Amino acid sequence: MQRERIASFLLFNKYKENQRELRVQANFDHLSGVMLRSTFMDLSQKAIEQPECTDLFIGLVDIDYFKQINDNYGQRLSQLRFSCGVIPLPKQLA
């Protein structure tokens, strides 16, 4: 009986872990780790619709020459440039 409970517990934990991983894969870019536009739009809309949402700031950053970097050096390098540009922003805005 105890082994069955432990096995069920471990199986349930593995299931939850897999579900989290699938959510990450579905909502974030696998190269840069940046949230996908569709996910951002969905979460933004939900935040705006909240009655207690009185202060909301949404910033948009244009990364200079992104297309040129992608065209000249390939997607892998441009994704690296993109992720380096996105990750520091929250720290700088805090």
Side-chain angles (χ1 to χ4, degrees), residues 20-40 43:
R20 278 191 297 273
E21 181 61 31
L22 287 173
R23 275 195 298 277
V24 168
Q25 290 175 9
N27 295 305
F28 293 88
D29 180 80
H30 73 282
L31 292 175
S32 65
V34 175
M35 185 182 294
L36 297 178
R37 180 182 181 274
S38 59
T39 304
F40 174 79
L43 292 175

Side-chain angles (χ1 to χ4, degrees), residues 20-70:
R20 278 191 297 273
E21 181 61 31
L22 287 173
R23 275 195 298 277
V24 168
Q25 290 175 9
N27 295 305
F28 293 88
D29 180 80
H30 73 282
L31 292 175
S32 65
V34 175
M35 185 182 294
L36 297 178
R37 180 182 181 274
S38 59
T39 304
F40 174 79
M41 296 301 285
D42 290 343
L43 292 175
S44 299
Q45 187 62 40
K46 288 176 185 174
I48 290 168
E49 292 171 355
Q50 295 298 316
E52 64 273 1
C53 180
T54 57
D55 296 353
L56 180 65
F57 172 80
I58 297 176
L60 178 64
V61 177
D62 183 13
I63 299 175
D64 292 334
Y65 310 110
F66 183 79
K67 183 172 180 351
Q68 282 181 318
I69 293 170
N70 193 50

